[in-house]
Amino acid sequence: DSMVRLDIEETKSRITTTVPLLLKKHSVPGAAVALFVDEEVVFACGYGVRYAGEQNPIDQHTVFDGASLAKPVFSYGVLGLVRDGKIDLDRPISDYLEKPYIKGDERIYKITARMVLSHTSGFPNWRPDFWTSSDSGIEISKVPGSLKIQYEPGSRFKYSAEGFNYLQTAVEKISNDRLDRFIKNRVLDQLGMSRSSFIWMEDYESNCVMPHNNEGIKVNQWRWRPKRPLAAGSFFTTAADYARFFCATLMAKEKPHSDENHFRISNLDSLLQPQIKIQKNFAWSLVWGIEKHETESYFFQWGDNPGIKHFAASSSTQKIGVIVLTNGQNGLRVCRPLVETVLGDELAAFDNI
């Protein structure tokens, strides 16, 4: 065990040396990195600045717009409802709603929670004109285009935010609560994720990052301050909070005397089973993407909004993981070498974002 711990110390010092160089090389103002081993967050640190041009260092409490890092957190909340018998993964979502989510396409009655969580709903990522941007930031359009099912539900993988937003309507109906409160009670509070939320909180303002373009210049129009929750991406978090969450999804064994016991949804196997094969070594589970290598599998999810790029990944056998959050358009170029250094392997997932 001392060897492993020694490795962690070495990994920490490599990260601390490497991050500033990567930020400078790729014109990314700042990053936050967290590492976990087994069930413990062993390292969380901030580098660089929250926004360019001022001395405002990122620390371990700095909040980032998490973008799609929202999806696994939402999925975990849904799986809690499954465990409690409140929602059936294979029952059409439309059964839980009073009226159909979209009109004129009978296939809406086929889409299940399992399909949504594994990105096989048949929906596009976003409907046309879902987003608008103004000087005050990004907002959901008041007149978005119409949502259309693009292929037979359950037949193939297509990464879809819209599917998550559809399932959100059922979760809010079943739980009789707005999504941000539901997730706070069922997931965030259980795990001590006190700096995370599915809506923007005013107290984040004093310690949050701003998005930056390829040159590392702050772009106010890319800010995202949602007042209403969006399952697919209205999520704010810190690297340490997200590491706590990732740990929880990997906890295979229920601990009989643990306070968190009721929160452990199922054993690792069912939670992380591939639901759909994507390419020869890629699949998607109900929570994470999966990349299979010969002797190892990796679980992952990225975050990708204008001017903010993140990546979270862990090894299934070694039970080690890393979260990298950045506030620049070139952020994935910072994430990749760090993630691959910690895991000691190359991840082709980066080529598919």
Side-chain angles (χ1 to χ4, degrees):
D1 195 50
S2 60
M3 282 300 289
V4 176
R5 296 295 161 221
L6 209 64
D7 255 4
I8 291 166
E9 291 311 314
E10 193 210 339
T11 305
K12 285 181 192 173
S13 67
R14 276 175 78 175
I15 289 170
T16 302
T17 317
T18 313
V19 177
L21 302 173
L22 288 168
L23 293 176
K24 190 166 184 220
K25 180 178 177 184
H26 298 296
S27 305
V28 176
V33 181
L35 284 182
F36 64 85
V37 177
D38 296 324
E39 296 178 21
E40 191 189 355
V41 180
V42 294
F43 177 73
C45 199
Y47 304 89
V49 292
R50 300 195 312 255
Y51 37 95
E54 288 181 42
Q55 284 304 309
N56 46 37
I58 291 175
D59 61 32
Q60 62 182 19
H61 305 294
T62 301
V63 170
F64 288 72
D65 162 5
S68 280
L69 293 180
K71 291 184 177 82
V73 181
F74 171 73
S75 302
Y76 212 53
V78 171
L79 291 169
L81 290 176
V82 172
R83 180 203 56 202
D84 296 344
K86 299 272 174 50
I87 192 166
D88 182 327
L89 280 173
D90 298 306
R91 191 174 164 189
I93 294 166
S94 56
D95 285 2
Y96 300 97
L97 300 170
E98 279 159 19
K99 56 179 196 287
Y101 190 63
I102 59 169
K103 295 189 177 76
D105 191 335
E106 294 290 308
R107 292 176 298 179
I108 191 70
Y109 299 114
K110 295 182 176 179
I111 298 172
T112 64
R114 187 186 301 276
M115 291 173 194
V116 164
L117 298 183
S118 56
H119 295 285
T120 61
S121 66
F123 280 133
N125 193 12
W126 296 106
R127 69 189 75 190
D129 307 320
F130 188 92
W131 298 103
T132 79
S133 178
S134 68
D135 287 345
S136 60
I138 291 174
E139 286 170 11
I140 294 171
S141 166
K142 291 188 172 56
V143 284
S146 63
L147 176 60
K148 301 225 180 337
I149 297 172
Q150 292 185 332
Y151 58 87
E152 183 64 22
S155 65
R156 66 186 177 92
F157 178 88
K158 184 173 193 325
Y159 189 81
S160 171
E162 290 284 2
F164 276 68
N165 298 337
Y166 173 37
L167 181 53
Q168 174 182 345
T169 60
V171 167
E172 291 184 325
K173 183 107 188 336
I174 291 161
S175 65
N176 196 26
D177 210 350
R178 206 169 75 169
L179 184 71
D180 52 303
R181 290 189 292 264
F182 168 77
I183 294 287
K184 182 179 189 307
N185 295 333
R186 298 286 295 245
V187 183
L188 308 178
D189 287 354
Q190 307 282 352
L191 296 176
M193 295 168 70
S194 59
R195 293 284 285 169
S196 299
S197 170
F198 262 80
I199 52 169
W200 173 253
M201 305 291 227
E202 287 308 318
D203 65 333
Y204 294 162
E205 201 65 67
S206 61
N207 191 359
C208 69
V209 300
M210 286 289 284
H212 297 78
N213 66 14
N214 281 330
E215 278 104 53
I217 296 160
K218 181 170 69 135
V219 184
N220 289 339
Q221 291 88 334
W222 288 349
R223 267 187 314 197
W224 168 227
R225 300 278 188 269
K227 294 185 174 66
R228 288 196 57 77
L230 204 61
S234 71
F235 184 57
F236 297 88
T237 194
T238 65
D241 267 10
Y242 207 76
R244 282 185 199 103
F245 167 72
F246 211 145
C247 279
T249 69
L250 299 179
M251 293 196 204
K253 295 184 180 64
E254 302 218 354
K255 290 186 174 171
H257 304 298
S258 158
D259 291 341
E260 290 172 68
N261 190 38
H262 65 283
F263 182 69
R264 309 253 164 117
I265 278 152
S266 64
N267 67 10
L268 188 64
D269 294 342
S270 61
L271 198 65
L272 300 169
Q273 279 299 323
Q275 301 293 314
I276 179 82
K277 198 169 179 182
I278 304 168
Q279 298 158 2
K280 68 175 199 300
N281 58 342
F282 282 103
W284 213 272
S285 71
L286 295 170
V287 183
W288 303 106
I290 304 171
E291 179 172 333
K292 279 189 158 28
H293 292 201
E294 270 182 27
T295 58
E296 180 63 279
S297 283
Y298 299 101
F299 303 116
F300 65 88
Q301 173 68 54
W302 62 84
D304 179 11
N305 275 1
I308 61 117
K309 309 289 170 189
H310 318 311
F311 203 89
S314 84
S315 140
S316 64
T317 56
Q318 299 176 71
K319 299 283 194 299
I320 59 169
V322 57
I323 320 295
V324 186
L325 310 179
T326 77
N327 63 351
Q329 187 67 11
N330 295 332
L332 288 172
R333 294 181 196 169
V334 175
C335 297
R336 185 169 196 163
L338 293 171
V339 168
E340 293 181 340
T341 294
V342 172
L343 298 179
D345 210 343
E346 290 182 13
L347 286 192
F350 280 100
D351 300 321
N352 293 293
I353 299 173

